[in-house]
Amino acid sequence: MDGWGGPAVDRRAGRELGGAGARKRHGRHYTPDRLARFLADRLLAHLTPDGPLRILDPACGDGELLLAVRDAAAQRFPGLPVQATGYDLDPAAVRVARERAAALDAHWQVGDFLRAAAELAPDRFDVVITNPPYVRTQQLGAQTARLLRSRFGLSGRIDLTHPFVASVPRLLRPGGVLGLLCANRFLTTKAGANLRALLCGELIPVELYDLGDTKLFDAAVLPAVTIAVRPPPSLTRAETCRYVAAYESAPPRPGAAESVSCESSSGGPGSDRAPDSAESLGRIETSHGGMPFDAAGNSAAESTPDAGRPVDALPGAPETDDLFAALRAEQDTVIRHAGRVIAITVGTLDCGGAGSAAAARDSAAAGAPVPRRRGGVGTEGPPWRMSQPETDAWLRRVGAGTWRSFGELARIRVGIKTTADRVFISDRWHEWQPEPEAELLFDLLTHHDLTPWRITRSRPTRVLYPYDVGRTRRTTVDLAEYPCAAAYLDAHKQVLAARDYVVGGGREWFEIWVPQRPHLWRLPKLVFPDISVAPRFALDRSGAIVNGDCYWISLPDLGGPDAGTDRLAYLLMGVANSALGLRFYDAVCGNRLYSGRRRWITQYVGRLPVPDPFTPAAEALTGLVRDLVDGADPDPQLLDELVAAAFAVPGPR
């Protein structure tokens, strides 16, 4: 975002010097004027001046945010002196800022704020306003990433937003205010747990705006505005944080047919086009030194329990064309923005994870806590969610009817990741002569093949899988026994051997980066796409391998042969593909992309609730799902009624 070595913006021409490639590399997305004014106004609404207004922007770019605070302060506090400090690594950006703010009492510094912050005096600023650069620390190199983690006490996959915000509390005076504009993914992802902890530690969030579907930036940035206060010693009560979210209305209903607007080409062996690539899925993957960094769990995050409701589901909501006026409204609002209908929902922030299935169940005293499975719920900080009275009451009722969560019952795995799809995946293997041996070519399930309940393969995509599928651990086959496959792989050795992270990890050069457990592929499994508007959980008994654009649950993980694994699988599918499952996802997990698309990944699916499978209502539900898997025509109304009955909550209205 602003700064971090980015060139200045020529606002008169509407162009950014250096182009889109430089913007992506340096993480710059300059703040639109109207959004800057909104951020400045909301920030100053929580400030009580005690002298000259001292403002810091640690990644100032061309000075837009500092100028917005100056102008807002002139309106809110007439005559109050303003002293500004701006840091940026880019001399051209600072030069433009200095020219734009010639009349402002400002100190402009060309340099690295993260290095300079430790030398700045504590309690120095009344206000910190920032749109920090969105750069993953892995892109800065392993040594830099280690230093940042050590210095700021961070863990997991992080970006520069985290250390920028970690530097703020010490620099703000008690009663000072932070205005943060950043990607909204931190609200719900594992990687955002660091930032959520920072904002709820030495600071107190007071306003939060999830601007997911507003498309305020030219780039694919889903922004969020957070206003947080460094509490003064006199503060004796907890602050309530206002939470507002903006998302497009009326996505398809769960279980309805869904068209996937992804490029669906499949290249032949060695072709330049690979099926189900990260780019065609709209997924972000970056690399440094050849190591892949999948964006699973780090995608843009949207969090609102009622986003996705059709417009007529917001009774009494007025309509307006002014986005920023709607964001200030005290009630749910419908707007026409950028040619789309956007629902603005208003609530308060729940940052304690009260909506998780296990927490709701335990708080309802429905039974003793169940130990968490490795990789299940409870291994990271809870997502932030919007609290609204009606939704909270509904979650408590669902919690009282919850027996387990998905993550407590089974391991939820991502599909394979070859990191060389053009070599390993194709639907035209017959064009390669000699064709690799059939024993190493396995059917591959991708997001194109999944509908609710059943697999409907759209094309004969297969993957070259060089592992012994009878082994429980990754064990490569002896290529000497497969001369055709050996010849094919050798023809692509230059590409495969260039993956230093594979060879450096003690692997053979011809291996897949993430092969998962080879022996589990032949067993029945639930499969669902990573990215989808509505849930598409299907049962696969074909023995196919699952691609990395999908996730899967092996049925044997649900219990031994006498534990009724099929019955549990039907129950899980019934909940996931229902209106209740979708509403629970939006209320508790809330990680959506543009236009209602959601991320169905381990950390979110693991939170979905499961009712007691031994009740008559649950048995009726499993019977219905069994029929649906066997080819019966779906009856969405009946499904929703049975799922609601299994949790003992009111059925769909």
Side-chain angles (χ1 to χ4, degrees), residues 11-48:
R11 293 185 181 274
R12 292 166 298 179
R15 293 190 299 270
E16 181 178 329
L17 302 178
R23 178 180 64 193
K24 180 176 180 180
R25 182 171 63 255
H26 297 294
R28 295 187 315 277
H29 300 289
Y30 283 86
T31 311
D33 298 354
R34 185 75 189 277
L35 180 55
R37 297 198 301 272
F38 176 79
L39 174 58
D41 176 73
R42 300 320 306 151
L43 180 153
L44 292 181
H46 295 273
L47 183 73
T48 301

Side-chain angles (χ1 to χ4, degrees), residues 337-506:
H337 175 74
R340 294 166 299 130
V341 176
I342 304 293
I344 309 291
T345 50
V346 182
T348 58
L349 173 62
D350 175 359
C351 56
S356 71
R361 180 195 64 223
D362 296 342
S363 67
V370 178
R372 303 288 195 264
R373 297 180 61 94
R374 184 170 64 88
V377 182
T379 58
E380 76 282 338
W384 283 2
R385 56 172 293 269
M386 180 184 290
S387 173
Q388 292 182 313
E390 181 182 356
T391 299
D392 294 350
W394 179 81
L395 284 173
R396 286 192 293 271
R397 295 196 64 170
V398 171
T402 296
W403 173 67
R404 302 286 190 272
S405 70
F406 278 46
E408 291 169 341
L409 287 174
R411 178 73 176 266
I412 302 169
R413 296 178 169 92
V414 70
I416 64 168
K417 296 181 181 297
T418 71
T419 65
D421 283 0
R422 296 185 181 114
V423 175
F424 287 106
I425 298 173
S426 178
D427 59 359
R428 299 200 296 269
W429 285 105
H430 61 280
E431 295 180 2
W432 186 267
Q433 297 299 324
E435 183 178 353
E437 286 80 0
E439 295 92 330
L440 299 185
L441 294 177
F442 291 80
D443 288 342
L444 185 70
L445 298 179
T446 76
H447 74 285
H448 297 285
D449 304 319
L450 303 179
T451 61
W453 321 118
R454 297 184 291 275
I455 304 297
T456 55
R457 298 199 70 205
S458 61
R459 58 178 181 262
T461 305
R462 291 186 292 170
V463 59
L464 177 58
Y465 191 72
Y467 297 96
D468 184 342
V469 293
R471 302 292 187 93
T472 59
R473 295 286 180 179
R474 171 183 51 83
T475 304
T476 58
V477 299
D478 183 355
L479 286 183
E481 299 179 9
Y482 302 93
C484 297
Y488 172 80
L489 291 169
D490 190 65
H492 295 89
K493 185 171 183 178
Q494 183 176 359
V495 171
L496 298 179
R499 299 174 302 158
D500 296 337
Y501 48 89
V502 174
V503 178

Side-chain angles (χ1 to χ4, degrees), residues 187-188 210 243 245 247-254 301-310 345 350 355-356 383-388 391-392 394-395 532-535 575-576 578-593 595-600 604-605 607-609:
L187 298 171
T188 60
D210 178 1
Y243 190 168
Y247 284 93
E248 190 168 0
S249 290
R253 187 201 179 284
E302 297 86 32
S303 182
T304 168
D306 297 305
R309 293 188 299 180
T345 50
D350 175 359
S356 71
W384 283 2
R385 56 172 293 269
M386 180 184 290
S387 173
Q388 292 182 313
T391 299
D392 294 350
W394 179 81
L395 284 173
S532 180
V533 172
V575 172
S578 72
L580 183 147
L582 186 63
R583 183 180 180 188
F584 186 94
Y585 176 99
D586 285 347
V588 173
C589 309
N591 189 339
R592 289 196 312 282
L593 310 177
S595 302
R597 292 181 301 151
R598 293 163 173 86
R599 297 298 307 274
W600 301 92
Y604 305 128
V605 173
R607 294 179 176 274
L608 294 178

Side-chain angles (χ1 to χ4, degrees), residues 1-2 9 11 14 16 23 28-41 57 60 62-69 71 100 129-131 181-182 211 214-219 221-225 323-324 337 594:
M1 293 185 174
D2 288 356
V9 172
R11 293 185 181 274
E16 181 178 329
R23 178 180 64 193
R28 295 187 315 277
H29 300 289
Y30 283 86
T31 311
D33 298 354
R34 185 75 189 277
L35 180 55
R37 297 198 301 272
F38 176 79
L39 174 58
D41 176 73
D57 185 346
C60 65
D62 64 357
E64 183 67 31
L65 290 176
L66 288 175
L67 291 172
V69 177
D71 295 343
R100 296 181 70 208
I129 187 168
T130 183
N131 175 3
L181 172 62
C182 66
L211 305 175
T214 53
K215 296 189 177 181
L216 292 171
F217 289 84
D218 291 336
V221 176
L222 287 79
V225 166
L323 170 64
F324 294 98
H337 175 74
Y594 281 133

Side-chain angles (χ1 to χ4, degrees), residues 85 107 131 190 302 330 367 424:
T85 301
H107 173 70
N131 175 3
K190 286 184 179 180
E302 297 86 32
E330 295 300 322
F424 287 106

Side-chain angles (χ1 to χ4, degrees), residues 271-325:
S271 90
D272 290 334
R273 305 182 76 173
D276 305 309
S277 67
E279 181 178 358
S280 70
L281 290 171
R283 195 167 55 205
I284 302 170
E285 291 190 0
T286 57
S287 63
H288 180 81
M291 173 66 77
F293 295 103
D294 187 0
N298 293 295
S299 282
E302 297 86 32
S303 182
T304 168
D306 297 305
R309 293 188 299 180
V311 174
D312 59 8
L314 298 175
E319 291 193 12
T320 176
D321 293 323
D322 189 333
L323 170 64
F324 294 98

Side-chain angles (χ1 to χ4, degrees), residues 165-213:
V165 175
S167 302
V168 167
R170 188 184 71 86
L171 300 178
L172 277 176
R173 66 165 173 85
V177 187
L178 166 67
L180 172 66
L181 172 62
C182 66
N184 68 357
R185 66 190 65 196
F186 86 90
L187 298 171
T188 60
T189 61
K190 286 184 179 180
N194 295 296
L195 186 51
R196 295 195 297 271
L198 284 169
L199 291 169
C200 284
E202 296 180 67
L203 301 171
I204 299 177
V206 290
E207 292 188 22
L208 175 61
Y209 298 88
D210 178 1
L211 305 175
D213 253 348

